[in-house]
Amino acid sequence: MKHAFFRTAVLVSAVVLGVGGALAQQSPTTNETEVGAQSRPAPGALAARMSDPVKELTADHTKFEILKGPFASGPEVTAACLSCHTEASNQVMHSVHWKWEYENPATGQVLGKAKELNAFCGNVASNETRCTSCHTGYDWVDVRQPMPDDPTKVDCLVCHDTSGQYAKQDNLAGNPPLVPVKEGAKTITGAKASPVDLVKAALSVGEPSRQNCGNCHFYGGGGDNVKHGDLSSALFDPPKAVDVHMSKDGANFACEACHVSDKHVLAGSRYNTDVVDPHADERKPGEARDVASCTSCHSDEPHEGPNPVLALKLNDHTDRVACQTCHIPEFARGGVATKTWWDWSTAGKLKDGKPYGEENFTQSDGKHLHTYLSTKGDFDWAENVVPYYAWSNGVMSYTLPETEIDPTQIVEINSIGGEPGAKDARIFPFKRMGGKQAYDTERNVLLYNHVYGPGDGTALWSYFDWEKSLKFAMDYVGLEYSGKFDFVETYMYWPITHMVAPKDDALKCDSCHSENGRMANVAGIYVPGGGIGIGGKLGLVVFLMVVLGVAGHGVLRLFGRKGGHHG
């Protein structure tokens, strides 16, 4: 009777988790004692003894029978995870990582990868099986619709595998490569795809590492360090000179040391960057922080040292200058270049009727990088890039798909919010990505493009026909398209917050306080030694007029007195 109850409970749980069919197909001769034991082991049977080594985590997943498989797919692993972690998928499904949607409370804009256009591959919609390879779930093939409310579609392993062999294939809508792997298949990092051992991955689960986060975030935009500029494979194991926080010779942080998680929602966002910690003054030292800003750990008076006057002056800058501005003097360090220009207008050229590529840039680690591809156009790359500086309050406003543009001007895909000198704003470093993108010349709106879709007759990367690519993509998202297009120059801004240099490598005073220094083009400030701007020149004119007036008045008084004596 007791064993029958356990078997019924297992079957009911399996149906709820979406694996009832798999369990229902088990042979009727399945040993009921074994099923019951897997569902509920004897109290304390798996517990470590005092004589065992102390481990970091409170659960050793290698001991759980349910994780020993076999597994035929990622969702089957997730179903096993949910047998204990019953709320985990629900938490993930309420995060930006899952929804790819973010409603900015400051602007009211609905943003996220599923909604917006960008200056790299352009858009996710109509290119899902390729783009959702980096989604934290399985099988999202239509971003016009939200992911199905299916807990087993959450990918637990992408964040929690520690075996080092779990990967997502770059064209399977988030699924890992399994036997048989198609010839020439690659992972999202560009490496050759090998069959993933799901049991090995399931038994290895632990806290997320830089490897887990980096496998997606370091390779955004189609390659290593293409998109962000301050997130590259160099950060898997960086020297201290590249990143003092992530280096094993420095703080040896994992990403979650700063990007603190709460119910699977992580602090920090490029849509609404934590330029300042709004609650820093309310906390005592050592209290928990949930904001991914420098001052949440270092306070707004971090400078000290043998020169108290210099330290005092540097601390006086923190209400106007972001920590990153001085402490990340360049990005794309560590030998991995970043793209700085992407010109889609030249894509589609063929040689002898075939696509081709050119590699005319060699980064410092010796790797040759493409500077032209028939599929994507022309590119520029750079290393050790000096950031673009601007006042920022962390809020970004986006040029959305139906936003009217002025094609006679450079179109900003996103614009940086923040008034010079405002209490909530700081001078902040950015990567400014330049390029050219397609737009509708009749309606003056940016266009969606359809690039990935072998066999459909319209995908640009397979058929090199812009007219078909653009029409298919616009029809797909249900937006009006005149059929007439051209290309407009664009900028896109990416906040620079990683690759913090050692303090000895931080910017010195004369980096800014000199003629043509780094702050020369930043509005709303006066930098001593940086030359006199129009405001300063007007002020000087007024000052000279005052001096002349005072002097003239004195002369008149002087002669006036002499005239009086003659009288």
Side-chain angles (χ1 to χ4, degrees), residues 76 104 143 251 266 289 304 340 412 424 543:
E76 288 189 14
N104 193 324
V143 296
L266 301 175
R289 268 94 172 133
E304 54 187 26
T340 58
E412 292 187 325
D424 65 344
F543 174 74

Side-chain angles (χ1 to χ4, degrees), residues 61-85:
H61 291 79
T62 65
K63 296 180 178 181
F64 294 110
E65 291 296 322
I66 198 169
L67 296 181
K68 295 180 180 179
F71 301 114
S73 68
E76 288 189 14
V77 178
T78 301
C81 297
L82 291 172
S83 64
C84 286
H85 302 280

Side-chain angles (χ1 to χ4, degrees), residues 62-400:
T62 65
K63 296 180 178 181
F64 294 110
E65 291 296 322
I66 198 169
L67 296 181
K68 295 180 180 179
F71 301 114
S73 68
E76 288 189 14
V77 178
T78 301
C81 297
L82 291 172
S83 64
C84 286
H85 302 280
T86 58
E87 308 306 306
S89 279
N90 177 270
Q91 293 174 356
V92 172
M93 289 190 289
H94 286 84
S95 72
V96 175
H97 273 104
W98 175 262
K99 295 187 292 184
W100 281 10
E101 180 178 299
Y102 173 78
E103 185 172 350
N104 193 324
T107 65
Q109 288 186 311
V110 179
L111 307 172
K113 295 179 188 294
K115 302 292 183 182
E116 70 196 41
L117 300 171
N118 63 70
F120 294 86
C121 289
N123 47 272
V124 175
S126 80
N127 305 299
E128 285 90 346
T129 56
R130 186 66 179 259
C131 295
T132 59
S133 296
C134 276
H135 185 241
T136 184
Y138 303 113
D139 302 318
W140 197 9
V141 295
D142 188 348
V143 296
R144 296 170 298 181
Q145 303 295 326
M147 277 285 284
D149 188 10
D150 180 351
T152 68
K153 292 296 186 181
V154 170
D155 185 353
C156 303
L157 296 176
V158 72
C159 293
H160 293 285
D161 164 73
T162 66
S163 70
Q165 51 89 48
Y166 182 82
K168 287 172 174 280
Q169 193 165 315
D170 70 359
N171 59 355
L172 293 182
N175 286 282
L178 302 174
V179 177
V181 176
K182 188 176 180 180
E183 183 67 27
K186 294 182 179 181
T187 71
I188 54 178
T189 68
K192 180 182 178 180
S194 300
V196 167
D197 184 335
L198 291 174
V199 172
K200 184 177 181 180
L203 293 173
S204 79
V205 297
E207 294 182 349
S209 67
R210 289 199 298 273
Q211 191 76 31
N212 298 109
C213 302
N215 281 341
C216 278
H217 288 284
F218 295 172
Y219 295 89
D224 193 355
N225 205 27
V226 164
K227 185 178 287 184
H228 294 271
D230 62 340
L231 289 174
S232 77
S233 62
L235 296 183
F236 282 135
D237 185 19
K240 192 174 180 179
V242 172
D243 194 299
V244 295
H245 292 126
M246 294 189 179
S247 174
K248 60 178 178 289
D249 297 322
N252 198 25
F253 281 168
C255 301
E256 274 197 291
C258 293
H259 297 279
V260 182
S261 63
D262 178 22
K263 296 186 286 294
H264 283 91
V265 176
L266 301 175
S269 168
R270 65 184 174 91
Y271 300 119
N272 207 351
T273 306
D274 297 311
V275 172
V276 295
D277 181 355
H279 305 294
D281 295 339
E282 304 168 11
R283 294 197 191 92
K284 296 178 181 179
E287 284 189 326
R289 268 94 172 133
D290 59 2
V291 178
S293 67
C294 301
T295 55
S296 65
C297 288
H298 293 285
S299 86
D300 59 358
E301 294 184 353
H303 302 97
E304 54 187 26
N307 187 335
V309 175
L310 177 61
L312 182 66
K313 191 58 184 173
L314 291 175
N315 286 333
D316 187 50
H317 281 61
T318 60
D319 63 342
R320 297 181 299 279
V321 182
C323 304
Q324 294 91 327
T325 296
C326 294
H327 291 276
I328 309 177
E330 293 91 21
F331 59 89
R333 305 201 313 277
V336 183
T338 188
K339 276 183 182 173
T340 58
W341 174 260
W342 186 329
D343 185 353
W344 277 101
S345 70
T346 60
K349 294 188 294 186
L350 305 174
K351 283 187 177 179
D352 300 323
K354 296 180 179 180
Y356 70 99
E358 297 174 352
E359 296 180 344
N360 294 321
F361 183 93
T362 304
Q363 63 186 21
S364 57
D365 67 356
K367 184 178 180 180
H368 299 288
L369 302 178
H370 53 258
T371 52
Y372 179 78
L373 292 173
S374 294
T375 51
K376 299 180 179 181
D378 283 290
F379 307 95
D380 288 338
W381 300 81
E383 293 184 65
N384 304 311
V385 183
V386 173
Y388 171 88
Y389 299 101
W391 285 96
S392 172
N393 60 8
V395 178
M396 290 284 194
S397 297
Y398 277 72
T399 298
L400 296 175

